[in-house]
Amino acid sequence: MHMHDCHCEPSQHDYFSQNLYTWCTNCGNYGIHAAVKRALVAEGVNPHQAVLCFDIGCNGNGSDKIEGNRFHGLHGRIIPFACGVSLANTKLKVMAFGGDGGTLGEGLNHLLHAIRGNYDMTFVLHNNLNYGLTQGQASPTTKLGMKMNSSPDGIVADQIQPMRLVLSLNPSFAARTFSGDVRHMTKTLQAAIKHPGFSFVEILQSCPTYNKATPHEWYQEHLFDVESLDNYDPSNITWAREVAEDLETKIATGVLYQRPDSPTALARLANRQAMTTELVDEVKNYSITELLKKFQ
Amino acid sequence: MPITSSFRTVVKIAGESGQGVNSVGEIVAKSLKESGYHQFGYREYPSLIKGGYSCYQIDIADRPIKSSSQYTNLLLCLSRVSVHAYLKTLAPQGQLVHSLPALSFSADERAFIEQNQIAVEYVDAAKLALAVGGKAIMANTVIIGILLQLYGLSEQVVGRVLKEEFANKPEMLAANLACLQAGHEYQLQTVKKPTLPTERDASLDNAYLLTGNHALALGAVSAGVRAYYAYPMTPASSILTYLSQWYHQTGMLVRQVDDEISVAQMAIGSMYVGTRALVGTSGGGFDLMTESVSLAAMTETPFVCILGQRPGPATGLPTWTATGDLNLAVYAGHGEFARLVVAASDVESCYTLVQHAFNYAEKYQTAVIVLTEKEIAESLYCVTSLPAAVPIERHLLPDEELEKITPAARYDTSSPSGVSPRWLPGSSPAVFDTNGDEHLADGSLTEESQPVKAMYDKRMRKQAALLAELPEPALFGDQQPDVVLVGWGSVKNAVLDALPELSAAFPEAKIGYLHYEYVYPVRTERLQQLHQAGAKLVLIENNYLGQLGGLITQHTAIQFPTKLLKYDGRPFFVEDVVAGMTPVLTAGRTK
């Protein structure tokens, strides 16, 4: 297919949308959008080269508040959609965004299989510990005992610790960052975009409306970057699992784990090894004459 | 009543799952083709790896056929259970060959055998196999040898077919050839050579033996499908098998995905960026895809799904046939939106419809569902050629317009057809939001009354535009009929094979068959003309409700006073059509 060729350096302005934001004051999403734009620009990705895939939720309502090729899909289903995109045209940079409800509740299996398959994309988990858009119900990451909309006596199920789950699968790339630190998010997202394969980025996101227990300030007091540890080795999964555990006192951020040797989903396919074209370039009538012979 | 007016003889090879009944059937089918006999191969088998009973039935005729008889002339049984299951399918003077020592029949079965003058013969096939240095499992091949002598097939032809079958296991070939010969030379005591068509058709030498799923897979290759995503589910699973067996040759990306929701979403993702991606499933898997069908329609992303039907509800009869999912295809997905539902009936239509499906999906930027059935998917058709390839039509914005197009053109609401320009991500500086939420022309979210209505109207107009270009159903048989059967899917084959029988029994009757290949949106002009001309309408469907009839009635108020409906997991056999139509035509005669 014809790819638009613009030899231009992207700027943040290119990602600027005329549409007004509709998020709450102080929502973590503002910072995340700013960081996504900065990271894409820093990586030299123009809007027409980016496919930004949004799940349902507060973050998804931002799909038309940023430029780029955007797709606003169904609740919990954005990961397999983005996998399908990434297989068909590797010239596009694929990023997908989902909340803790869609990703760990409705569509948890998709996350697991995308990690296994190592599709070349960045997945950003907006983890704000609740369902914001439907007005503050519990999500799989809501802490045990929290009183939420629809759970007046408190949550009775244990919480999922997303990074523990992801690291249990030997992911290709796993990082954690915080919605209140645009610089840290930008750096982390850049590393994720650069990484070939499935890059999982958990953003600890403040929700000023429904999560009063761990507000912006609380995160600021509890976070540290693994780069501050002596000789932290992000290729050591045991170490990554160790530092990722604590979500109460000293919460690790940064690139926790990166596997250097995991081929992407496409690179794993023997029959596509010799192909130099993209799936999007290959749509034409193919002769079936040879195939038919075996049925004679 | 068995078929009388045209020549047909039926052989059924029966055993339990795991006994290689299917391989025997395929080898015999190939040998019959090479010997110049027209045929149709039909499979019954349980949803088991081992045990139960299964059969491979081959109807042999003197002209092309695409359906089965309910009667068997020669039954070969490798297991006890299969004898008891299939004995009573034998026609009068039918013959049974079995390999079961000390087989005993019930009083009822003995009476059946006597009444119908059934010849029964025991052949110790396993012993014969062992005697020539084979293994007990090669009793199969001995049975093929027996068929060889009964049907007068050439040993050379069968030998060649066997060599092809064992190309990957050459160490097995010698023993199998010895078993073949043992069967060929075995002195049968009771069973006699069945009658065969007097004429052989030399053109069958170059004919193809294909299942519907082979044809769907070939159609996908021809249509430029570059990604096939699926989760295994009978009767669609073998499409995944075939396409993966061919992918080194085709370069197609063939991926078994972890659930049907992911399957549908991955296909929508791949189609969105501009390749052609196909998915295949059965009713239960399609249920899981329905919210994605709705998403494809809302975002105006082309989506093509093969829905291989089997009897439901729930797991139903996994390995049997039905057409109970038409309503599912027509109504699947929340909200209202335009879609196309087409239904294959045989290998030719499987091959072409999947190609047309992509052209329609890309033209109208919505979901297209290709219905098939276990009866079509897994039956073996003998055809001398496939139709010509369908040229690809992508309906994308021309390259020269990509630089000047603006984002708001993507969902522009102004066209009478409701179709707006589509261009692919990456191809233009004009980027837009492909939004599953209601949206404006550039995809930006809106909840305002006027633009919501305008966008809704735009999408719905596509249904009328699509309907206007669809073909009317084809009329077979008498072109000015007094009686018209109306159906879709594989019933076409049983009806067309039954027409000569009906014409012989009712020579004064003018019988037509109106076949719906494009099922939804439903075209009704031709049917209304026939109705107004006074033709008596008979609905024939492989389901309980008469779902096509329901759609037609909904759109025309025309009722079907007579409905031939079958929903026991079996396809319509030729005799079912004859039996169902006899009272209708008898009543017509007395008028």
Side-chain angles (χ1 to χ4, degrees):
Chain A
M1 67 168 259
H2 168 93
M3 276 293 281
H4 173 63
D5 196 4
C6 82
H7 306 297
C8 41
E9 287 293 313
S11 77
Q12 281 194 59
H13 183 76
D14 299 335
Y15 284 95
F16 175 77
S17 163
Q18 294 290 341
N19 295 327
L20 298 178
Y21 281 119
T22 51
W23 294 317
C24 306
T25 304
N26 292 330
C27 174
N29 279 322
Y30 294 106
I32 297 173
H33 258 208
V36 169
K37 291 176 187 174
R38 286 180 187 212
L40 286 167
V41 169
E43 291 305 309
V45 182
N46 282 289
H48 75 278
Q49 297 161 322
V51 179
L52 308 176
C53 313
F54 296 88
D55 208 90
I56 295 301
C58 291
N59 106 76
N61 276 358
S63 76
D64 59 348
K65 279 89 182 172
I66 186 169
E67 286 300 318
N69 300 294
R70 291 141 292 147
F71 192 95
H72 189 190
L74 295 175
H75 187 59
R77 312 300 174 208
I78 206 61
I79 290 177
F81 170 84
C83 293
V85 171
S86 77
L87 291 174
N89 189 352
T90 62
K91 290 179 187 146
L92 299 169
K93 276 288 169 208
V94 184
M95 296 186 80
F97 306 87
D100 38 313
T103 308
L104 302 166
E106 192 90 5
L108 177 59
N109 55 330
H110 305 310
L111 174 65
L112 309 185
H113 296 296
I115 292 172
R116 283 176 62 215
N118 204 25
Y119 297 87
D120 189 11
M121 58 182 274
T122 296
F123 176 69
V124 177
L125 174 68
H126 292 243
N127 186 6
N128 68 358
L129 311 186
N130 80 95
Y131 288 71
L133 193 57
T134 50
Q135 303 191 337
Q137 293 86 357
S139 86
T141 57
T142 305
K143 287 177 187 170
L144 186 69
M146 290 285 287
K147 291 184 176 173
M148 305 294 287
N149 180 351
S150 80
S151 318
D153 290 331
I155 301 310
V156 295
D158 296 328
Q159 94 187 111
I160 286 182
Q161 213 266 57
M163 195 55 79
R164 185 191 296 160
L165 176 74
V166 167
L167 288 172
S168 76
L169 296 163
N170 269 12
S172 184
F173 178 102
R176 190 190 275 151
T177 182
F178 166 50
S179 68
D181 187 342
V182 173
R183 197 171 296 164
H184 191 269
M185 277 193 290
T186 306
K187 188 179 77 169
T188 309
L189 289 170
Q190 276 184 258
I193 292 167
K194 269 201 194 83
H195 178 81
F198 190 85
S199 307
F200 174 82
V201 180
E202 177 186 16
I203 300 187
L204 302 171
Q205 180 174 345
S206 55
C207 177
T209 305
Y210 295 112
N211 179 5
K212 310 285 190 199
T214 57
H216 180 87
E217 295 73 16
W218 184 89
Y219 282 114
Q220 278 185 317
E221 288 160 16
H222 291 82
L223 302 179
F224 75 99
D225 191 302
V226 288
E227 281 185 359
S228 67
L229 296 174
D230 283 343
N231 303 323
Y232 184 77
D233 175 8
S235 69
N236 183 335
I237 189 107
T238 314
W239 205 342
R241 286 173 181 154
E242 216 168 279
V243 296
E245 271 303 294
D246 185 357
L247 284 180
E248 294 299 329
T249 53
K250 282 193 73 189
I251 304 174
T253 65
V255 178
L256 304 187
Y257 181 64
Q258 186 165 16
R259 221 168 123 186
D261 60 343
S262 181
T264 65
L266 262 180
R268 293 172 187 220
L269 304 178
N271 75 318
R272 299 287 309 173
Q273 296 295 314
M275 309 293 272
T276 53
T277 46
E278 304 285 343
L279 294 181
V280 292
D281 299 321
E282 298 169 4
V283 178
K284 61 181 175 77
N285 281 114
Y286 289 80
S287 165
I288 58 160
T289 311
E290 279 305 308
L291 292 170
L292 255 185
K293 280 181 184 162
K294 59 185 76 151
F295 298 102
Q296 225 155 21
Chain B
M1 274 292 292
I3 296 167
T4 51
S5 75
S6 52
F7 181 84
R8 192 185 279 237
T9 187
V10 178
V11 57
K12 189 176 253 168
I13 302 128
E16 59 183 63
S17 270
Q19 280 189 316
V21 165
N22 205 34
S23 322
V24 175
E26 281 171 8
I27 292 168
V28 172
K30 228 170 177 180
S31 314
L32 285 166
K33 176 186 90 75
E34 305 249 322
S35 304
Y37 296 119
H38 290 280
Q39 60 178 310
F40 176 74
Y42 163 68
R43 291 175 67 195
E44 287 184 355
Y45 63 100
S47 184
L48 296 167
I49 303 294
K50 299 272 180 199
Y53 61 88
S54 63
C55 81
Y56 201 104
Q57 173 174 331
I58 302 173
D59 287 45
I60 305 162
D62 55 1
R63 72 215 139 83
I65 54 167
K66 290 182 175 177
S67 66
S68 303
S69 165
Q70 78 181 69
Y71 295 101
T72 311
N73 301 98
L74 175 64
L75 174 63
L76 293 111
C77 286
L78 297 163
S79 80
R80 263 164 233 280
V81 177
S82 66
V83 173
H84 302 302
Y86 289 117
L87 177 71
K88 289 187 179 173
T89 66
L90 280 165
Q93 283 95 48
Q95 311 193 86
L96 166 68
V97 176
H98 67 87
S99 57
L100 308 154
L103 175 69
S104 61
F105 295 104
S106 67
D108 184 39
E109 287 170 333
R110 281 197 300 274
F112 175 86
I113 289 167
E114 194 164 320
Q115 238 165 36
N116 291 285
Q117 300 168 281
I118 306 292
V120 179
E121 179 150 0
Y122 164 63
V123 177
D124 193 344
K127 190 175 161 193
L128 285 170
L130 291 170
V132 295
K135 296 176 179 166
I137 183 79
M138 293 176 194
N140 286 342
T141 315
V142 175
I143 293 294
I144 299 173
I146 286 171
L147 276 169
L148 201 75
Q149 59 161 303
L150 285 175
Y151 286 119
L153 303 176
S154 141
E155 194 175 3
Q156 280 170 326
V157 169
V158 181
R160 196 172 72 235
V161 174
L162 267 184
K163 273 179 201 147
E164 286 166 22
E165 289 290 319
F166 289 98
N168 298 327
K169 300 179 226 166
E171 70 283 1
M172 308 270 283
L173 182 64
N176 271 287
L177 287 173
C179 291
L180 181 72
Q181 205 177 355
H184 192 197
E185 289 166 1
Y186 184 77
Q187 296 281 318
L188 288 163
Q189 304 300 315
T190 320
V191 165
K192 306 205 166 35
K193 285 194 176 190
T195 325
L196 281 166
T198 46
E199 299 284 317
R200 295 189 188 199
D201 186 343
S203 74
L204 292 181
D205 209 25
N206 292 317
Y208 306 102
L209 285 171
L210 292 164
T211 66
N213 279 355
H214 285 126
L216 287 167
L218 290 165
V221 171
S222 178
V225 168
R226 301 309 292 154
Y228 184 75
Y229 303 118
Y231 186 88
M233 187 168 188
T234 307
S237 310
S238 56
I239 305 169
L240 178 62
T241 308
Y242 303 145
L243 288 173
S244 60
Q245 283 167 347
W246 305 341
Y247 68 41
H248 280 287
Q249 207 172 332
T250 60
M252 190 187 290
L253 188 155
V254 181
R255 193 157 186 109
Q256 182 184 323
V257 180
D258 304 283
D259 61 81
E260 286 91 346
I261 295 172
S262 306
V263 165
Q265 287 287 328
M266 286 180 76
I268 292 172
S270 295
M271 292 281 262
Y272 158 74
V273 282
T275 192
R276 282 188 161 185
L278 176 64
V279 307
T281 184
S282 188
F286 187 76
D287 284 346
L288 292 177
M289 294 185 184
T290 55
E291 64 169 352
S292 301
V293 173
S294 179
L295 176 72
M298 182 54 144
T299 58
E300 306 201 43
T301 309
F303 175 71
V304 179
C305 176
I306 294 168
L307 168 46
Q309 298 166 97
R310 67 192 214 191
T315 311
L317 297 164
T319 57
W320 299 78
T321 205
T323 63
D325 293 340
L326 175 57
N327 284 342
L328 172 65
V330 169
Y331 299 113
H334 52 292
E336 302 166 298
F337 52 85
R339 75 184 79 203
L340 173 64
V341 180
V342 299
S345 57
D346 52 18
V347 288
E348 293 93 332
S349 56
C350 281
Y351 177 64
T352 52
L353 278 179
V354 74
Q355 299 180 73
H356 286 300
F358 275 93
N359 288 350
Y360 282 114
E362 293 210 283
K363 180 168 185 183
Y364 290 95
Q365 303 172 28
T366 194
V368 177
I369 296 147
V370 181
L371 289 166
T372 172
E373 305 149 33
K374 182 267 174 185
E375 166 68 2
I376 303 164
E378 298 187 347
S379 292
L380 199 65
Y381 296 78
C382 182
V383 292
T384 46
S385 65
L386 282 179
V390 178
I392 287 175
E393 295 171 18
R394 305 221 50 200
H395 303 281
L396 293 169
L397 191 72
D399 283 359
E400 59 273 17
E401 292 181 39
L402 287 169
E403 299 298 318
K404 55 181 188 228
I405 197 85
T406 58
R410 175 64 187 100
Y411 298 109
D412 178 61
T413 58
S414 64
S415 81
S417 68
V419 177
S420 49
R422 174 172 170 246
W423 63 97
L424 305 178
S427 68
S428 163
V431 293
F432 51 87
D433 195 356
T434 303
N435 205 335
D437 282 31
E438 192 54 279
H439 43 265
L440 301 169
D442 71 348
S444 292
L445 190 148
T446 187
E447 297 183 354
E448 297 301 315
S449 160
Q450 192 277 330
V452 164
K453 180 175 182 302
M455 192 59 68
Y456 209 113
D457 284 338
K458 168 210 190 299
R459 281 192 303 272
M460 295 310 291
R461 280 203 302 277
K462 296 196 289 185
Q463 193 73 85
L466 178 53
L467 175 63
E469 81 162 273
L470 293 182
E472 283 286 330
L475 181 63
F476 293 87
D478 197 298
Q479 293 300 298
Q480 284 170 326
D482 302 326
V483 180
V484 185
L485 287 128
V486 179
W488 63 284
S490 71
V491 295
K492 172 188 168 195
N493 307 320
V495 171
L496 295 190
D497 286 348
L499 284 183
E501 297 295 311
L502 291 168
S503 296
F506 302 91
E508 74 289 358
K510 292 156 77 181
I511 311 163
Y513 169 63
L514 193 66
H515 180 68
Y516 274 89
E517 196 158 77
Y518 289 82
V519 188
Y520 187 87
V522 61
R523 286 208 74 128
T524 56
E525 291 86 341
R526 193 163 207 171
L527 181 119
Q528 296 197 66
Q529 283 160 11
L530 290 164
H531 181 62
Q532 277 154 19
K536 186 178 169 66
L537 301 178
V538 178
L539 184 71
I540 178 161
E541 295 193 53
N542 223 172
N543 58 42
Y544 181 91
L545 291 172
Q547 297 182 13
L548 171 66
L551 276 178
I552 291 169
T553 303
Q554 186 189 326
H555 285 84
T556 62
I558 293 173
Q559 304 279 339
F560 291 88
T562 310
K563 296 176 182 174
L564 305 182
L565 304 170
K566 190 173 180 184
Y567 41 86
D568 59 356
R570 277 73 179 163
F572 273 91
F573 298 119
V574 180
E575 294 84 353
D576 290 324
V577 180
V578 174
M581 288 305 288
T582 297
V584 178
L585 297 168
T586 308
R589 180 184 275 167
T590 56
K591 252 189 210 157

